[in-house]
Amino acid sequence: MRTQVAIIGAGPAGLLLSQLLHRQGIDSVVLESRDRAYVERRQRAGMLEQNTTDVLRDTGVGGRLDREGLVHHGLELRFGGAGHRVPITDLTGRTVTIYAQTEIVKDLVERRLADGGDVRFEAEVLAVDPAAPSVTFRQDGTEHVLECDYIAGCDGFHGVSRPAVPDVRTFSREYPFAWLGILADVPPSTDELIYAHHERGFALHSLRSPKVSRLYLQVAPDEDLGAWSDARIWDELAARFATGDGWELREGPITDRAITPMRSFVAEPMRHDRLFLAGDAAHIVPPTGAKGLNLAVADVTVLAEALTERYASGSETLLDGYSERCLRRVWRAEHFSYWMTTLLHTDPGATPFEHRLQRSHLDYVVSSQAAMTSLAENYAGLPLK
């Protein structure tokens, strides 16, 4: 078997890269270890920067996004019993959109298959050879070797691609808290996301659709999910979102719940020989800044541009600069995500002095246009170029 680009992983990064290459006449094969149903129901973040929505539209998969996505022009920081709006569009001229990652994956799978794309589910990758580029995989009990010009490792944090990069340098930070996230069949209590800082811990009110809410609570990393009844979850959310103006949190049936650990992680370089890492295979951010999916889209957009130049002109200049270019954006997003996380969460090990500094910083952010603009620029997404 042979193709021009072998893509490992059928998440948003791998599928989008395949679609971007297809539109430039470049062949690819996408290999995914899970079945299609599993891939299309994986719950992940759903806040899209304008860069991301622009790329999806340009790639031909923006129809349902435009019909069903919830466009936001601001967000709220809530602390001390009061809310403070950050007017993102007024400050940056950009918007953010709420659209579930599961729906992005469904849209991309449908588009790739409709265009005759080769997306192979239940294809377990066994080995990656970055030098004489090839991928060995098993499907239906038979081993195959897929030869190619280049390999894109879009297979996530636990995938096989990153271990194939020798002497990779890693940088990481574990946080002393996690998120308990829920989906609830109840209309959202807010039109824009609420990021709440409270002495009992952080809380986030997000939206999935006009009828479904997505909410999060800061908990301990070793929290027992079974100890959280529906009533306890709603009571804790209400306490952390409480304001002095009578704002009320709507409650409804909880349909899904999970605990997500918080970590920052970067692997350098993002390229070895003919293997290129993208998305979670190369970096992880805490979800506070909503950068994970958007970084993955930025990575594959840069990679698709570089591969297009290579096949059009023979030049590998952009391919040679892939890792450095992506890592500049990655480290900016890592810092912003770290900043948002430490600004809003309650550190169980912090001293009273540090708690007062944190509150002072929050007061500054919502009272300074310069500080608010910096938050808005990073949240809405810096330009790709």
Side-chain angles (χ1 to χ4, degrees), residues 198-375:
H198 193 276
E199 62 184 11
R200 293 163 65 158
F202 168 78
L204 170 63
H205 192 324
S206 183
L207 308 85
R208 177 53 58 87
S209 74
K211 296 182 179 180
V212 178
S213 297
R214 184 75 160 156
L215 301 104
Y216 299 91
L217 284 167
Q218 174 188 340
V219 297
D222 58 352
E223 195 75 29
D224 177 10
L225 187 60
W228 287 83
S229 64
D230 288 14
R232 183 185 177 192
I233 290 173
W234 288 117
D235 287 347
E236 191 63 25
L237 285 166
R240 298 187 192 184
F241 286 123
T243 63
D245 60 4
W247 183 89
E248 292 187 3
L249 176 67
R250 295 172 181 164
E251 300 181 10
I254 296 175
T255 59
D256 184 68
R257 71 191 73 202
I259 291 180
T260 303
M262 306 279 282
R263 71 160 65 93
S264 298
F265 175 86
V266 179
E268 296 184 355
M270 290 174 58
R271 175 194 182 177
H272 173 65
D273 215 327
R274 299 299 183 95
L275 168 64
F276 298 81
L277 304 181
D280 287 359
H283 41 74
I284 298 287
V285 290
T288 324
K291 293 298 163 195
L293 171 60
N294 295 292
L295 277 179
V297 169
D299 289 346
V300 297
T301 302
V302 171
L303 183 54
E305 179 185 357
L307 288 167
T308 298
E309 181 192 69
R310 160 65 180 83
Y311 285 111
S313 69
S315 171
E316 295 196 356
T317 301
L318 293 183
L319 286 175
D320 291 340
Y322 168 78
S323 182
E324 181 180 358
R325 181 178 173 188
C326 287
L327 284 169
R328 283 198 299 269
R329 187 179 188 85
V330 167
W331 279 111
R332 175 86 296 275
E334 290 283 352
H335 179 263
F336 176 69
S337 300
Y338 163 83
W339 179 79
M340 284 282 283
T341 300
T342 54
L343 177 69
L344 292 164
H345 288 72
T346 301
D347 187 340
T351 65
F353 177 80
E354 290 168 324
H355 285 306
R356 293 299 293 269
L357 289 179
Q358 185 180 26
R359 175 56 186 270
S360 174
H361 197 172
L362 282 163
D363 287 333
Y364 171 68
V365 168
V366 299
S367 61
S368 164
Q369 183 167 347
M372 201 178 289
T373 300
S374 177
L375 188 161

Side-chain angles (χ1 to χ4, degrees), residues 19 40 47 98 102 159 173 240 271 281 323 352 356 372:
Q19 182 66 9
E40 291 186 343
M47 197 290 286
I98 304 299
T102 51
R173 178 188 178 93
R240 298 187 192 184
R271 175 194 182 177
S323 182
R356 293 299 293 269
M372 201 178 289

Side-chain angles (χ1 to χ4, degrees), residues 74-92:
L75 60 84
E76 180 182 321
L77 297 181
R78 186 174 290 190
F79 58 93
H84 309 268
R85 185 172 185 268
V86 179
I88 293 172
T89 303
D90 290 347
L91 293 169
T92 68

